[in-house]
Amino acid sequence: MYNTRKIKHGVLACICLILLGSLPCCWGRFVVEKNNLRVTSPGSVRGIYECAIGNFGVPQYGGTMLGSVFYPKANQKACNTFQDSDITWKNKPGGIPIFLLADRGDCYFTLKAWNAQNAGAAAILVADDRIEPLITMDTPEETDAQADYLQNISIPSALISKELGERMKKELTKGEMVSINLDWREALPHPDERVEYEFWTNSNDECGPKCESQLTFVRNFKGAAQILEQKGYTQFTPHYITWYCPEAFILSQQCKSQCINHGRYCAPDPEQDFSRGYDGRDVVVQNLRQACFFKVAKENGKPWQWWDYVTDFSIRCPMKEKKYTKQCADLVIQSLGYDVRKIDKCIGDIEADVDNSILKAEQEAQIGNGSRGDVTILPTLVINNRQYRGKLDKGAVLKAICSGFEETTEPSICLTRVFQQKRPRAKQMVVNSSTLCIKIWKQMSAYKTMGLLQDKAANISACRDTFRGRVCHCPIVQGVKFIGDGYTHCEASGALRCGINNGGCWKGSKDGRTYSACIDDHKNGCKCPPGFRGDGVKECEDIDECKEKTACQCPHCSCRNTWGSYECSCSGNLLYIHEHDTCISKDSNTEVSWGIMWVVVLGFALAGVAGYAIYKYRIRRYMDSEIRAIMAQYMPLDNQGDVPNHLPQGGV
């Protein structure tokens, strides 16, 4: 039975089907996503603590936020607006951002954050009212949701432990200023130059504010997602949550209306009313169709077209207009240039009592692995195998994706000025490192031998703007790679290195001559040229060959040192031969030269005469032998002996 297989794979995120219009009951491993909170003062509370990221608002992924904690004397649970008390924490120029500390209880977490935001707080810290592991603050259920403010919460939120909250309150009552730094730098992994992310979604558009925000996000984020995917910066995969019907209820009307493939894959009824509208099985089939479209588009090398299909389907085939059908979906598929038959083949027979390979893989993917945890709510974003927390908004999600790139590998969209302005305090996170490398550049700028720490003339610097802030990173300039730590040293490497700052090597000019210690056929290193000695980096000193008596040592030689070389001359009517370090007479040299030339000419002449004589002799011998051979056929020659006649015995 397929149920045995499911038990073998473990409990799915939610396996209780909606039977009577109620929500599914859920079991599973839900991971609370956390970030760090550093208390910098007072000393009695100083330290690093964990806090849970709220599943609403806009966490500052990749950055930090500095602020001062405020705990109100009234409305301490922040369930009411703060306008009645004329309290405002709106940050003024030069002021310190205020983080509201509120107690848990009496109202939704989102309402607390909304009231804090309207009062001007930069963030909200909710202190737990019980001793327990941290939990994730989530949005209210659809029946209690108020769309007029849920999607407008833009400040970050964090749940802190009861113990930390009480310690902060104690210091605040004594008049101490509690300064903290919310740190999201490591909230998401950032291992390399590509971000892998998943979007757990649903084709259902009748689930209230969450569905509306999900459709709005898909439409707004489509352009950025497609650009990132086409240029290879990201690898995106859509997913769909399904449940299976417990075996005891497979034949029930509820399971039949909400499941396909004999109860294997189910979805809740869109209207929570089995007597009208679309059924859960309709949602499952459309989810499967979207997953199959992604599979076919990926096989065609265009996985980003999933965003086109989902967007067009939501606009052209809404449930409200009774167009949530296969016929409408097929028209969208055809308009994008795809063969409907390939999609239908992928979907398969939804009435068969068999597994569907696509939906089977989706159910297995729901179970968490590593640090991700099970996927239990919709919609959910998973970035670099870590669940995203916060508002489902284009800017917030793009910020989170940008924080998933390794420093200095981010696409330009993550470093644009407009985007950076949306995260004004995030760049503070590496201020110490940035200040350090800039300070070192100023100290080292006088030394060209330090390579490329800061070359003002060439407008080149090792300072790199990244999504997390400034870092010191040796760059690549005009195809030349610089290696080093970026703080104290950057050295050119490669065959073209001498073209930029002379490869960080010594170079000098004097008396119309230029010498360099950079060697083009070496990938790195510096070596003083012949005639100089030194390290090749800071200096190369001219060698005085005359003083050191390494040149012009022959009799009658005189030596004069030059920069990088030397000159030798001979006294009288003598000529200096550099190769042999000797002086010879110019006249004798001429006589010797003519004598040698006559000897060579005479030698060639004798060789020619001898060769001709040998040639004539061999030709004559050859002709004689040929003539003798011909004559021997017709008459005896003088040196040919008599040939005896042999007759048989008993002759006549």
Side-chain angles (χ1 to χ4, degrees):
M1 292 291 292
Y2 67 88
N3 214 23
T4 305
R5 174 185 57 79
K6 292 174 181 175
I7 294 174
K8 180 179 178 180
H9 284 291
V11 181
L12 288 175
C14 295
I15 65 171
C16 287
L17 185 67
I18 303 175
L19 298 177
L20 299 174
S22 62
L23 292 173
C25 54
C26 298
W27 300 282
R29 187 174 64 90
F30 183 85
V31 174
V32 178
E33 301 297 346
K34 303 173 183 177
N35 65 300
N36 289 333
L37 183 154
R38 179 191 294 271
V39 179
T40 56
S41 67
S44 59
V45 195
R46 185 183 296 119
I48 299 177
Y49 305 86
E50 282 189 338
C51 54
I53 305 174
N55 200 28
F56 50 86
V58 183
Q60 298 292 324
Y61 280 105
T64 63
M65 181 180 288
L66 301 173
S68 177
V69 179
F70 178 86
Y71 184 62
K73 295 181 179 179
N75 193 20
Q76 294 177 339
K77 294 186 177 180
C79 291
N80 301 315
T81 63
F82 290 93
Q83 295 176 354
D84 299 337
S85 305
D86 294 327
I87 297 176
T88 178
W89 306 299
K90 292 183 179 179
N91 195 18
K92 299 179 181 180
I96 300 175
I98 297 298
F99 295 165
L100 174 66
L101 176 62
D103 294 328
R104 179 182 177 183
D106 292 355
C107 62
Y108 293 120
F109 294 118
T110 52
L111 183 58
K112 299 175 188 288
W114 179 244
N115 290 332
Q117 178 175 309
N118 287 334
I124 181 171
L125 307 176
V126 179
D128 206 342
D129 59 355
R130 65 204 74 174
I131 299 176
E132 63 176 358
L134 294 174
I135 65 170
T136 296
M137 299 183 295
D138 203 359
T139 56
E141 301 296 345
E142 285 79 3
T143 54
D144 300 317
Q146 299 182 29
D148 59 341
Y149 81 84
L150 283 180
Q151 298 304 314
N152 295 322
I153 300 175
S154 59
I155 63 173
S157 60
L159 180 74
I160 63 176
S161 66
K162 180 181 180 181
E163 178 188 3
L164 178 59
E166 291 178 347
R167 293 177 64 185
M168 286 184 178
K169 295 173 191 176
K170 181 179 179 181
E171 295 300 326
L172 290 169
T173 56
K174 294 191 302 184
E176 294 289 343
M177 180 178 179
V178 178
S179 299
I180 67 173
N181 185 355
L182 288 172
D183 188 346
W184 294 270
R185 287 178 295 180
E186 302 302 325
L188 290 176
H190 44 98
D192 50 39
E193 69 279 1
R194 189 181 71 175
V195 171
E196 299 175 2
Y197 70 105
E198 308 167 2
F199 183 35
W200 290 82
T201 181
N202 199 333
S203 61
N204 179 10
D205 58 8
E206 286 291 315
C207 60
K210 282 193 174 182
C211 279
E212 294 175 4
S213 66
Q214 178 178 249
L215 293 176
T216 301
F217 166 73
V218 171
R219 295 169 188 172
N220 293 339
F221 194 68
K222 181 182 78 168
Q226 290 181 324
I227 291 174
L228 291 172
E229 194 76 9
Q230 291 175 16
K231 294 187 176 181
Y233 290 115
T234 61
Q235 179 176 301
F236 164 74
T237 306
H239 285 293
Y240 300 86
I241 289 182
T242 60
W243 297 269
Y244 61 84
C245 182
E247 187 175 359
F249 301 100
I250 289 177
L251 299 179
S252 67
Q253 183 59 36
Q254 290 88 345
C255 276
K256 289 182 178 179
S257 66
Q258 299 183 81
C259 308
I260 66 173
N261 294 103
H262 286 245
R264 284 175 170 82
Y265 315 106
C266 313
D269 187 279
E271 303 88 1
Q272 301 293 298
D273 187 345
F274 301 126
S275 62
R276 66 182 180 88
Y278 292 98
D279 295 325
R281 63 184 283 118
D282 298 319
V283 176
V284 176
V285 173
Q286 290 297 349
N287 288 348
L288 178 57
R289 181 170 284 107
Q290 291 187 3
C292 284
F293 181 88
F294 175 78
K295 178 178 181 293
V296 174
K298 187 176 181 180
E299 291 172 351
N300 289 348
K302 298 179 180 179
W304 53 83
Q305 287 193 323
W306 177 90
W307 295 90
D308 293 320
Y309 174 71
V310 173
T311 301
D312 291 355
F313 179 81
S314 66
I315 295 173
R316 298 165 62 176
C317 311
M319 286 184 171
K320 296 177 182 179
E321 300 178 11
K322 308 300 180 183
K323 296 180 179 179
Y324 190 80
T325 63
K326 179 183 186 308
Q327 292 73 20
C328 186
D330 288 347
L331 292 176
V332 176
I333 293 172
Q334 291 172 349
S335 69
L336 294 173
Y338 285 84
D339 188 350
V340 175
R341 293 173 296 180
K342 290 186 177 181
I343 309 298
D344 291 340
K345 182 179 179 181
C346 173
I347 293 174
D349 185 1
I350 62 175
E351 303 297 339
D353 188 9
V354 295
D355 289 331
N356 180 285
S357 60
I358 300 295
L359 292 180
K360 177 183 176 182
E362 293 295 284
Q363 284 187 343
E364 292 175 346
Q366 287 176 229
I367 302 173
N369 57 81
S371 60
R372 194 201 75 182
D374 299 338
V375 178
T376 59
I377 58 177
L378 284 177
T380 293
L381 269 167
V382 178
I383 303 175
N384 285 349
N385 205 39
R386 191 77 60 82
Q387 290 192 27
Y388 164 85
R389 294 286 181 258
K391 181 180 179 181
L392 195 63
D393 171 78
K394 174 186 175 181
V397 171
L398 185 58
K399 183 185 301 181
I401 290 176
C402 287
S403 72
F405 290 99
E406 184 183 11
E407 285 86 349
T408 74
T409 66
E410 306 94 335
S412 58
I413 190 174
C414 296
L415 305 177
T416 57
R417 180 172 298 179
V418 174
F419 191 59
Q420 292 287 351
Q421 288 174 350
K422 295 181 180 179
R423 48 187 294 276
R425 286 177 290 274
K427 63 183 180 181
Q428 297 177 9
M429 69 162 265
V430 289
V431 162
N432 291 338
S433 298
S434 177
T435 304
L436 175 61
C437 65
I438 292 176
K439 182 178 180 180
I440 293 177
W441 292 338
K442 291 180 179 179
Q443 293 175 348
M444 299 297 183
S445 60
Y447 299 97
K448 291 188 293 183
T449 58
M450 293 309 295
L452 193 63
L453 288 176
Q454 188 178 38
D455 190 336
K456 295 182 179 180
N459 194 25
I460 299 171
S461 171
C463 185
R464 295 285 299 275
D465 282 325
T466 72
F467 183 79
R468 288 178 166 76
R470 289 178 176 174
V471 298
C472 294
H473 186 274
C474 295
I476 298 176
V477 182
Q478 299 177 13
V480 179
K481 183 178 181 180
F482 284 77
I483 58 176
D485 58 15
Y487 292 87
T488 61
H489 181 67
C490 281
E491 180 183 1
S493 176
L496 303 177
R497 65 192 183 94
C498 296
I500 299 181
N501 198 24
N502 200 48
C505 302
W506 172 88
K507 184 178 181 180
S509 297
K510 185 177 180 181
D511 300 333
R513 297 179 179 179
T514 300
Y515 292 96
S516 171
C518 185
I519 305 174
D520 286 326
D521 58 353
H522 287 69
K523 292 185 178 180
N524 50 48
C526 304
K527 182 180 180 181
C528 290
F532 294 89
R533 67 163 61 95
D535 58 9
V537 179
K538 293 183 178 180
E539 64 178 353
C540 285
E541 180 184 2
D542 173 55
I543 299 174
D544 191 341
E545 292 84 356
C546 301
K547 184 177 181 181
E548 297 184 3
K549 297 183 179 181
T550 58
C552 305
Q553 296 301 303
C554 63
H556 311 292
C557 289
S558 60
C559 180
R560 185 177 72 87
N561 185 59
T562 61
W563 190 66
S565 185
Y566 59 90
E567 293 180 357
C568 290
S569 60
C570 299
S571 59
N573 194 27
L574 298 177
L575 179 66
Y576 180 73
I577 304 300
H578 185 275
E579 292 77 5
H580 302 285
D581 190 29
T582 186
C583 293
I584 62 173
S585 172
K586 294 182 179 180
D587 295 337
S588 61
N589 183 58
T590 303
E591 294 173 358
V592 170
S593 299
W594 277 107
I596 293 174
M597 185 177 67
W598 280 113
V599 169
V600 172
V601 171
L602 182 60
F604 276 115
L606 292 175
V609 171
Y612 179 75
I614 294 172
Y615 170 75
K616 294 291 290 182
Y617 173 75
R618 295 190 63 183
I619 287 295
R620 186 172 185 82
R621 289 289 304 272
Y622 175 75
M623 292 298 296
D624 288 346
S625 62
E626 288 295 319
I627 293 173
R628 290 174 64 85
I630 294 172
M631 294 294 292
Q633 298 179 19
Y634 298 97
M635 63 184 64
L637 299 179
D638 294 339
N639 59 350
Q640 181 177 345
D642 294 335
V643 180
N645 294 325
H646 299 279
L647 298 175
Q649 293 182 3
V652 180

